[in-house]
Amino acid sequence: MAAVQETVDKVKSIDVDAYKYGFVTDIESDKAEKGLNEDTVRFISAKKGEPEWLTEWRLDAYRRWLTMREPTWARVDYPKIDYQDLYYYSAPKSMSGPMSLDEVDPELLRTYEKLGIPLREREILAGVQGASTRVAVDAVFDSVSVATTFKAELAKAGVIFCPISEAVQSHPELVRKYMGTVVPVTDNYFATLNSAVYSDGSFVYIPPGVRCPMELSTYFRINEQNTGQFERTLIIADKGSYVSYLEGCTAPKRDENQLHAAVVELIALDDAEIKYSTVQNWYPGDSEGKGGIYNFVTKRGDCRGARSKISWTQVETGSAITWKYPSCILRGDESRGEFYSIAISNGRQQVDSGTKMLHLGRNTSSRIISKGISAGRSNNTYRGQVFAHRKATGARNFTNCDSLLIGNKCGAHTIPYIESRNANAIFEHEATTSKISDDQLFYCMQRGLSAEEATALIVNGFVRDVLQQLPMEFAVEAQKLISVSLEGSVG
Amino acid sequence: MSPQQRESAVTRVEAEPVVATVSVLKNEAELALADLFSKKRGLFIGSSEIALRREAAFARFAKSGLPSKRVEAWHYTDLRAALRIPLPIAEFPDNAARALARPCIEALRAADPQPVTRFVILDGIFDAELSTSHMPAGVSVTPTCNSLIAGEQRAVLAFEAGGLGENDPALNLNEAFSVSGVLIDIADGAMIDQPIEIVFLSSGAHRHAIYSRSSVRIGEGAVARIVERRCSNSSVGIQRNEALYLNLGDRAIVRHVAIAEADRADCIDIASTLLDLKEGSELTSTSLVHGGGLRRRQIFGRFNGPHARCSLRGVVLLGGKEHADTTIVMEHVAPNCESRETFNHIIDDEATGVFQGKVSVAPEAQKTDGKMKSRAILLSETASMNNKPELEIFADDVTCGHGATCGSLDDDQLFYVQSRGLPKAEAEALLLEGFAGEIILEIANEQTREVLMDDVRAWLSHRALRGN
Amino acid sequence: MLEIINLHAEIDGKKILNGLTLTVKDGEVAAIMGPNGSGKSTLSYVVAGRSDYKVTGGDVLLNGQSILELGAHERAAKGLFLAFQYPLEIPGVTTMTFLKASINAQRKQRGEPELSTPDFMKKVRAAAAKMGVKDEMLRRPLNVGFSGGEKKRLEILQMVLLEPSFAILDETDSGLDIDALRIVGDGVNSLRAKDRGFLVITHYQRLLDHIVPDTVHVQSQGRIVKSGGPELAHELEKNGYRDYVAAAA
């Protein structure tokens, strides 16, 4: 029908101009030599002044990585990555490590302002009223953390929020106890690579019984050319604590593909709750599929304690390729895992994303709501595993995956693996695929909305269940992002 | 399970490639099959075209090897692990085999509530003596081997089977090794009232591997009822790999019933059904499948013309250590077609059920209507169910969906029935009978329906006797 | 004022409108009646700008200006409203959100400032009370799970809010019980004004008991075959459309 045809035509002409974070910051940087070998690993470890156990841990990972093969099972297609043609460490030259904000290169502060992430606490406080909406930010620029806000105030509550490189120095016992226990060093090709060369990332520890007084957030920015970003995040919520954590990401427009292979580990002890929200807006490449980020990320949460809860919410609009399955290991009895996802693909983007809910403990429950939207010539795959162990009596899962297609050159795929080893586990799964009907579009247009406004409105309705899971400020941002991502997808 | 093992088990989706890219024949079974093929290749009957097809099929097999769980389509049925030693290929049935088979067929005849046109494939070879000799008007039949020897085109068509499932390793072996089966032709416009039953019977006389290839062409506008029955009389473990190609012409209407009787624990049984659906054709299929050591029922279907409809429904009953895998791939390449898959599993003891259903919709298959539903009831703490309903969609104007549930019997329902005076075991049996009945009661033919329901009831009472 | 001049239109190569001419003046309520398949709904779609219908001849003027080149949303902003025979469901979008988006999209196109939330709420509440639409309904996703009557009432509520200069009601009476019919009729009557025209498309006379038309037209085979006053509707109710179907053939 006509409206769909226009959509298809318009999608063909989609322009990277829609990506407004594509600028480059001109700043001198300190880089490791190109390529990867044991010296690179030692170089990174030395730069961070790491203890010997960690250097060895990295080297073990590197040696293991050499024996592994890149996974090919995901429904994504990309030219072979030359791992020797990448920089594995890049830091703004002016930065030798985290410092006070007054010492941070003003060029960097300007970059974050441009991205809408003010790092000066004074400015944040001036901008909003009431303390409840404050967000503490850890800003990671290429391979290093450049600033972390509200540290002092958080420390008062006993919350540790700092770059992981700093945590290695200041809280080695916590890092050593938990790092690699959720995503083992040998877990998969990209996680193992990350273990060898990870540069920085955030570390969070919430002490027993503490409700984190503000939202915590990390903002990732890849700037340097030919540089892989390998950050590592570790969040530990001790007994009875609560934290809500937000992650945002952008990168400049570049013709070359850039690799992002992060690892995120969450650990929730008895009665603790972690809410992890991501708005992923890496550069998606242009309409012909040139450039863009390869986002190969391993995110996993371990509900280690009884009655613990981990909730993942993600809004995925960027990246040329997304390979990502934020998962929950429901080990503690009565623990709960949630996964809420909106994945939008346009242009030539390829998304293979989903989750794993692994029910090991008794009376564990999980919920998966996934909304995939494909436009342009993109392919969007939901891949998810729900598993009940023999001992997971009383496990419950509810899964709902809906796909929406805009145009006739894209694909939407649903591949669930539902595996039950327990008669008293109850799994329910439903999935649908549909399109925005011309009747719906015409109805909205008859009321005065343009085709683009009508599409955005209908899509927002489609993803509403998930948007409601995001913290307020993030939900507004995500809603705008959805409109931008679909710009040019209708005539 | 140690924590390490558990970790590796639970991290599978990320940690393991599910699709093997490069694989060469390397394990003993694969080498033995290659050896067998090279010894047999000069002796197979059939035209040079068939010989080329066999070569190509075996080459495809050689490239993929025996499928392990790393192969996405065989994720839950590890044939590579199960088929350690390929058995020799079955010889022409001897007197001993015939003697064992005859009572089975007589029992079938005696149990017949209705006249049936029956074709018997004994140990992979069409057996004229055990089969019906008088054909209804409009039905003609040739043993696959005769057609191969005569160099007929229809044998080629049966092997080609519209290219359906041509990347499946088991089907490739079937194409490479099959020499017999039956080719049935139903004339255009024929209305065949009597059910046409194809019995795949293994005599159990010898330990061997059985391959056969059969086809039914249902002419334009023809109407037929087809029953596919798998019987095993084995007192020994055997390996079966048999394929049936159902080729529906324009506007043909087929009611299909498939029955697979229980197999021994040391049997491997792979049954492939290939569905070729032309414009306006309609297939309704209902199956009742019991378990075996390793049983796999795979259906590869394609809508080759618009406005065709296909409904596949099935009940799977598993107990002991049985394993049964139902894998369906329905390809929509023409617009305005409708596919339905509805499967109910009842799984007891340490049995494992597998349901994989993939609906794929090509860009040109607009207005596709596809719905899939898989439900499983697990009756024991050690029963397992693996569900993988898959959608692969490239057309935007479609309505497709799937649902899957898995759990125990509903406590509220059970209580309700018990409160009306039924003891627990009977209440359970009643609910399970209803669960199976949801599928079976849709069969239009009352006698067939009752035969299948009796089978379900027998299974349930047997279960009760085992003391569950 | 709506002027339809010798309008020809087709869909998928099939001709539906064959030279339809009709003028509805400001302040006038015109009714179009006709048998099933006479192209009544097509007429409303073509006038409102559904893009899959192809206009092959003629013109449509709204307030003296041709609107055929305009998109559906632009026609809406010019004051054209269509009450759908089958209002669409939009999951996840609450009725309130939809109403606000519509009003402000039209205001934006007309270069008017957007309504503030309090002003909007005041306006909606007033209109909803008049139409017997409960608050709870406004918070539900648009038309999802609404009964046939609720959907139609909501269409009229939208018309009241959007204050069009010309409104087309396509079979608004279908699926309505007597009470709903009265509410819908009252809603339409309250909007009758000197500078506003209505085109009421219906198969039956009964809606016209509530919305008394100034003129009645009979459509058959894509043309107006007879025009008259309200008495024509009664005649049709008694004698059916047979004569007109024959006349058009």
Side-chain angles (χ1 to χ4, degrees):
Chain A
M1 303 247 294
V4 171
Q5 188 50 48
E6 282 170 40
T7 301
V8 172
D9 294 344
K10 195 67 187 278
V11 158
K12 284 187 196 146
S13 64
I14 184 174
D15 198 325
V16 289
D17 293 347
Y19 191 75
K20 62 175 180 173
Y21 304 109
F23 62 89
V24 178
T25 305
D26 193 8
I27 193 159
E28 239 189 303
S29 62
D30 182 8
K31 287 193 267 196
E33 248 175 76
K34 216 179 208 179
L36 181 56
N37 52 45
E38 292 203 3
D39 289 341
T40 325
V41 176
R42 286 205 178 85
F43 174 87
I44 295 168
S45 192
K47 270 278 170 196
K48 304 277 174 191
E50 287 174 354
E52 204 181 318
W53 68 266
L54 191 50
T55 313
E56 279 310 310
W57 191 82
R58 286 174 179 275
L59 285 168
D60 276 352
Y62 172 71
R63 287 167 199 145
R64 179 67 181 221
W65 180 74
L66 288 176
T67 70
M68 295 169 91
R69 278 194 301 175
E70 207 169 321
T72 54
W73 46 262
R75 201 188 180 96
V76 295
D77 186 29
Y78 55 93
K80 212 169 158 39
I81 298 170
D82 182 355
Y83 290 91
Q84 296 307 333
D85 196 34
L86 286 178
Y87 290 103
Y88 287 83
Y89 181 86
S90 168
K93 208 154 212 169
S94 48
M95 300 283 305
S96 55
M99 53 183 91
S100 95
L101 273 170
D102 298 330
E103 299 169 76
V104 171
D105 190 325
E107 187 59 33
L108 278 173
L109 290 181
R110 268 195 295 279
T111 299
Y112 281 89
E113 266 162 36
K114 228 163 140 184
L115 295 168
I117 316 286
L119 293 178
R120 291 185 183 279
E121 293 176 20
R122 277 192 310 277
E123 290 162 15
I124 303 169
L125 289 171
V128 288
Q129 296 200 330
S132 63
T133 54
R134 287 174 308 160
V135 177
V137 178
D138 183 18
V140 178
F141 192 85
D142 288 335
S143 302
V144 291
S145 170
V146 294
T148 309
T149 60
F150 290 108
K151 266 163 94 171
E153 194 173 337
L154 287 167
K156 244 183 272 165
V159 172
I160 305 169
F161 180 42
C162 65
I164 198 161
S165 55
E166 190 183 315
V168 168
Q169 310 296 340
S170 57
H171 302 88
E173 72 298 341
L174 283 175
V175 175
R176 201 167 180 179
K177 183 173 175 192
Y178 290 107
M179 191 168 73
T181 62
V182 186
V183 178
V185 170
T186 56
D187 191 74
N188 70 74
Y189 191 78
F190 300 115
T192 305
L193 176 62
N194 174 287
S195 302
V197 302
Y198 84 84
S199 41
D200 219 334
S202 302
F203 175 84
V204 176
Y205 174 79
I206 316 288
V210 170
R211 196 179 165 89
C212 188
M214 62 183 85
E215 306 262 358
L216 304 184
S217 159
T218 299
Y219 195 90
F220 296 109
R221 172 80 178 166
I222 299 180
N223 187 60
E224 202 53 49
Q225 203 159 2
N226 292 329
T227 300
Q229 190 172 31
F230 305 92
E231 82 272 0
R232 193 155 186 121
T233 299
L234 178 58
I235 300 177
I236 303 139
D238 213 323
K239 291 181 181 173
S241 66
Y242 169 86
V243 62
S244 168
Y245 182 90
L246 320 172
E247 176 203 299
C249 9
T250 56
K253 284 196 238 177
R254 295 198 186 274
D255 286 349
E256 298 81 24
N257 295 108
Q258 283 171 285
L259 178 63
H260 175 250
V263 169
V264 175
E265 295 179 282
L266 312 183
I267 295 145
L269 302 182
D270 289 357
D271 301 296
E273 180 177 347
I274 302 175
K275 189 172 165 61
Y276 193 107
S277 312
T278 309
V279 172
Q280 187 262 106
N281 186 22
W282 293 118
Y283 175 53
D286 70 6
S287 56
E288 294 306 310
K290 197 169 184 194
I293 300 286
Y294 292 166
N295 194 32
F296 301 149
V297 171
T298 306
K299 290 184 168 176
R300 197 173 300 151
D302 189 349
C303 286
R304 211 164 275 184
R307 297 166 304 278
S308 56
K309 178 177 168 187
I310 289 179
S311 173
W312 298 98
T313 305
Q314 60 173 23
V315 178
E316 302 277 306
T317 62
S319 295
I321 299 175
T322 303
W323 180 99
K324 164 178 179 189
Y325 315 88
S327 306
C328 296
I329 302 171
L330 303 168
R331 212 182 290 275
D333 290 347
E334 291 171 55
S335 60
R336 179 170 173 82
E338 293 174 342
F339 175 74
Y340 299 98
S341 170
I342 299 170
I344 300 181
S345 58
N346 201 347
R348 301 254 178 184
Q349 282 176 271
Q350 305 175 60
V351 178
D352 195 304
S353 183
T355 184
K356 290 187 289 179
M357 291 293 171
L358 308 166
H359 293 258
L360 308 180
R362 290 170 163 267
N363 298 319
T364 47
S365 62
S366 62
R367 185 180 171 84
I368 300 170
I369 308 284
S370 163
K371 306 279 180 179
I373 297 151
S374 326
R377 287 170 177 274
S378 66
N379 269 296
N380 201 326
T381 303
Y382 167 83
R383 187 187 302 275
Q385 182 189 16
V386 178
F387 172 86
H389 189 264
R390 195 72 79 208
K391 293 189 177 133
T393 296
R396 296 218 53 157
N397 165 265
F398 174 77
T399 300
N400 177 299
C401 312
D402 293 329
S403 305
L404 193 67
L405 288 115
I406 303 178
N408 204 14
K409 296 260 185 323
C410 49
H413 318 295
T414 313
I415 312 177
Y417 303 74
I418 308 157
E419 305 164 352
S420 179
R421 307 275 172 277
N422 188 299
N424 291 312
I426 300 177
F427 288 174
E428 287 175 79
H429 169 101
E430 54 186 52
T432 64
T433 301
S434 55
K435 69 159 189 165
I436 296 178
S437 79
D438 280 318
D439 289 327
Q440 280 177 323
L441 272 182
F442 175 61
Y443 185 72
C444 294
M445 288 173 75
Q446 208 299 308
R447 299 297 183 255
L449 300 171
S450 69
E452 211 154 84
E453 288 167 329
T455 305
L457 183 81
I458 295 168
V459 168
N460 269 309
F462 177 73
V463 301
R464 195 167 92 117
D465 295 350
V466 177
L467 280 183
Q468 283 173 340
Q469 298 299 327
L470 285 171
M472 196 55 174
E473 307 87 317
F474 243 35
V476 175
E477 190 190 323
Q479 204 158 350
K480 278 190 217 140
L481 192 55
I482 290 165
S483 303
V484 172
S485 304
L486 289 170
E487 232 162 61
S489 70
V490 284
Chain B
M1 205 185 239
S2 74
Q4 284 77 17
Q5 277 171 323
R6 176 186 289 180
E7 190 58 50
S8 69
V10 299
T11 56
R12 182 170 56 234
V13 167
E14 271 171 20
E16 254 178 42
V18 186
V19 179
T21 43
V22 192
S23 165
V24 281
L25 294 184
K26 47 179 177 258
N27 80 357
E28 273 180 45
E30 288 163 346
L31 292 171
L33 285 165
D35 187 46
L36 195 60
F37 186 73
S38 68
K39 282 190 184 128
K40 284 257 180 189
R41 63 178 10 138
L43 307 171
F44 285 129
I45 50 175
S47 61
S48 58
E49 193 177 353
I50 291 284
L52 284 174
R53 292 204 65 85
R54 291 189 197 278
E55 293 290 336
F58 196 82
R60 286 196 299 274
F61 169 75
K63 202 171 164 205
S64 63
L66 284 167
S68 68
K69 58 183 188 151
R70 285 171 175 255
V71 175
E72 183 74 34
W74 289 77
H75 192 52
Y76 297 108
T77 298
D78 196 334
L79 187 61
R80 194 183 174 89
L83 205 158
R84 285 281 174 216
I85 304 162
L87 297 171
I89 293 180
E91 299 292 327
F92 200 82
D94 54 15
N95 286 338
R98 293 266 192 67
L100 284 166
R102 205 164 288 121
C104 297
I105 300 301
E106 270 157 21
L108 277 181
R109 273 192 206 127
D112 269 349
Q114 56 198 332
V116 168
T117 308
R118 178 172 291 121
F119 302 107
V120 179
I121 319 285
L122 175 60
D123 294 340
I125 310 290
F126 176 69
D127 191 308
E129 193 198 314
L130 292 172
S131 303
T132 308
S133 48
H134 292 290
M135 291 305 121
V139 178
S140 65
V141 60
T142 319
T144 305
C145 51
N146 293 10
S147 186
L148 283 169
I149 291 166
E152 288 179 352
Q153 193 56 27
R154 62 167 150 170
V156 176
L157 288 178
F159 275 63
E160 202 169 51
L164 290 159
E166 68 179 359
N167 290 318
D168 181 70
L171 201 57
N172 284 328
L173 284 177
N174 177 282
E175 189 171 2
F177 286 116
S178 292
V179 293
S180 191
V182 63
L183 307 181
I184 300 168
D185 190 277
I186 296 169
D188 291 354
M191 309 279 271
I192 312 298
D193 194 41
Q194 226 177 67
I196 294 170
E197 179 169 299
I198 307 171
V199 181
F200 296 90
L201 174 65
S202 71
S203 66
H206 310 281
R207 285 201 72 196
H208 51 204
I210 295 168
Y211 294 93
S212 76
R213 173 72 63 134
S214 301
S215 86
V216 186
R217 186 191 81 94
I218 302 96
E220 278 182 27
V223 179
R225 286 160 60 196
I226 297 169
V227 179
E228 184 184 342
R229 186 187 287 275
R230 307 190 65 72
C231 309
S232 167
N233 191 34
S234 287
S235 48
V236 290
I238 52 165
Q239 295 162 359
R240 305 171 78 176
N241 180 341
E242 299 182 273
L244 174 64
Y245 172 45
L246 297 180
N247 182 6
L248 279 70
D250 291 353
R251 297 175 311 284
I253 298 175
V254 173
R255 305 266 174 270
H256 173 252
V257 171
I259 301 156
E261 298 177 356
D263 249 354
R264 286 168 52 95
D266 51 0
C267 285
I268 294 175
D269 178 33
I270 300 164
S272 306
T273 307
L274 311 169
L275 306 173
D276 197 330
L277 298 144
K278 305 279 174 14
E279 180 167 356
S281 62
E282 197 182 311
L283 175 82
T284 314
S285 170
T286 310
S287 59
L288 175 58
V289 170
H290 292 274
L294 183 156
R295 166 158 273 162
R296 166 136 160 151
R297 181 164 183 250
Q298 46 181 12
I299 299 172
F300 297 99
R302 188 180 297 139
F303 293 93
N304 280 313
H307 298 287
R309 298 201 299 187
C310 178
S311 168
L312 306 174
R313 306 167 60 81
V315 174
V316 181
L317 305 174
L318 301 175
K321 294 189 173 198
E322 291 173 340
H323 174 104
D325 173 333
T326 302
T327 294
I328 299 173
V329 179
M330 292 305 291
E331 292 173 67
H332 287 262
V333 296
N336 291 297
C337 293
E338 180 187 291
S339 63
R340 295 280 180 275
E341 295 81 28
T342 315
F343 282 79
N344 285 4
H345 283 73
I346 299 176
I347 308 172
D348 201 359
D349 305 327
E350 293 167 65
T352 304
V354 177
F355 177 82
Q356 303 187 102
K358 180 170 176 178
V359 173
S360 96
V361 181
E364 56 276 19
Q366 293 292 2
K367 309 261 180 223
T368 289
D369 178 352
K371 297 210 170 48
M372 182 180 289
K373 197 163 177 60
S374 163
R375 296 195 295 161
I377 292 180
L378 304 189
L379 296 172
S380 105
E381 287 293 323
T382 44
S384 302
M385 178 69 199
N386 299 303
N387 255 317
K388 180 154 68 93
E390 227 180 296
L391 291 170
E392 180 186 67
I393 295 175
F394 290 102
D396 61 341
D397 192 4
V398 299
T399 43
C400 286
H402 61 224
T405 60
C406 183
S408 52
L409 272 172
D410 187 76
D411 281 341
D412 294 336
Q413 283 184 344
L414 207 54
F415 174 71
Y416 180 79
V417 177
Q418 284 177 269
S419 76
R420 294 293 178 267
L422 274 79
K424 187 165 181 240
E426 280 174 48
E428 274 185 15
L430 183 80
L431 292 174
L432 292 172
E433 189 183 322
F435 184 65
E438 280 176 30
I439 302 291
I440 293 170
L441 296 180
E442 293 277 312
I443 297 176
N445 185 289
E446 192 188 337
Q447 284 164 326
T448 312
R449 211 162 57 213
E450 276 315 301
V451 169
L452 295 196
M453 281 313 292
D454 284 345
D455 190 334
V456 171
R457 287 180 204 113
W459 187 84
L460 288 171
S461 59
H462 181 67
R463 172 178 180 262
L465 286 177
R466 283 200 318 263
N468 278 298
Chain C
M1 183 163 86
L2 184 75
E3 294 163 88
I4 304 168
I5 306 157
N6 193 25
L7 189 63
H8 290 260
E10 57 182 51
I11 182 164
D12 298 335
K14 199 174 143 207
K15 287 187 173 165
I16 313 277
L17 298 183
N18 298 297
L20 189 143
T21 298
L22 177 69
T23 299
V24 185
K25 295 200 214 47
D26 285 346
E28 179 181 335
V29 174
I32 286 194
M33 302 184 73
N36 291 328
S38 58
K40 301 191 300 288
S41 285
T42 296
L43 177 65
S44 67
Y45 285 153
V46 170
V47 171
R50 242 194 103 119
S51 54
D52 43 348
Y53 287 88
K54 197 172 156 201
V55 174
T56 53
D59 205 352
V60 177
L61 311 181
L62 180 65
N63 302 325
Q65 216 185 345
S66 173
I67 55 171
L68 285 183
E69 294 300 312
L70 301 181
H73 63 298
E74 293 162 326
R75 297 182 199 198
K78 292 241 181 271
L80 183 72
F81 181 87
L82 170 62
F84 282 58
Q85 184 180 359
Y86 303 108
L88 276 296
E89 300 184 356
I90 305 190
V93 176
T94 65
T95 304
M96 199 67 106
T97 305
F98 182 76
L99 293 175
K100 192 170 178 208
S102 302
I103 289 182
N104 283 333
Q106 292 201 18
R107 294 180 73 98
K108 206 166 79 189
Q109 287 186 63
R110 291 194 292 258
E112 298 163 11
E114 296 192 358
L115 276 188
S116 71
T117 303
D119 286 350
F120 166 75
M121 296 298 282
K122 221 179 288 166
K123 217 170 134 100
V124 173
R125 292 253 155 76
K130 194 158 103 187
M131 294 305 302
V133 169
K134 290 200 200 82
D135 242 25
E136 175 265 339
M137 206 164 123
L138 298 173
R139 286 195 298 267
R140 271 157 57 188
L142 184 69
N143 288 326
V144 176
F146 288 17
S147 71
E150 285 174 329
K151 286 181 183 175
K152 293 301 172 72
R153 245 185 292 166
L154 194 65
E155 288 293 287
I156 303 304
L157 169 68
Q158 293 180 44
M159 181 172 79
V160 170
L161 281 173
L162 293 168
E163 299 170 325
S165 65
F166 195 92
I168 303 172
L169 278 59
D170 187 5
E171 307 264 0
T172 298
D173 51 333
S174 68
L176 290 190
D177 60 24
I178 285 296
D179 289 337
L181 202 60
R182 190 177 42 75
I183 293 172
V184 165
D186 290 351
V188 173
N189 288 330
S190 74
L191 281 187
R192 286 176 87 149
K194 273 205 307 287
D195 54 356
R196 183 174 287 140
F198 286 89
L199 183 60
V200 181
I201 296 174
T202 181
H203 189 74
Y204 302 105
Q205 147 73 25
R206 60 176 201 155
L207 180 65
L208 303 181
D209 291 340
H210 297 272
I211 308 168
V212 181
D214 301 305
T215 54
V216 174
H217 308 269
V218 182
Q219 182 173 338
S220 181
Q221 312 236 335
R223 268 179 296 166
I224 299 297
V225 292
K226 166 115 184 165
S227 298
E231 72 288 348
L232 182 57
H234 291 282
E235 188 206 311
L236 286 168
E237 185 78 357
K238 217 178 331 158
N239 301 332
Y241 294 108
R242 209 171 28 184
D243 295 348
Y244 301 105
V245 176

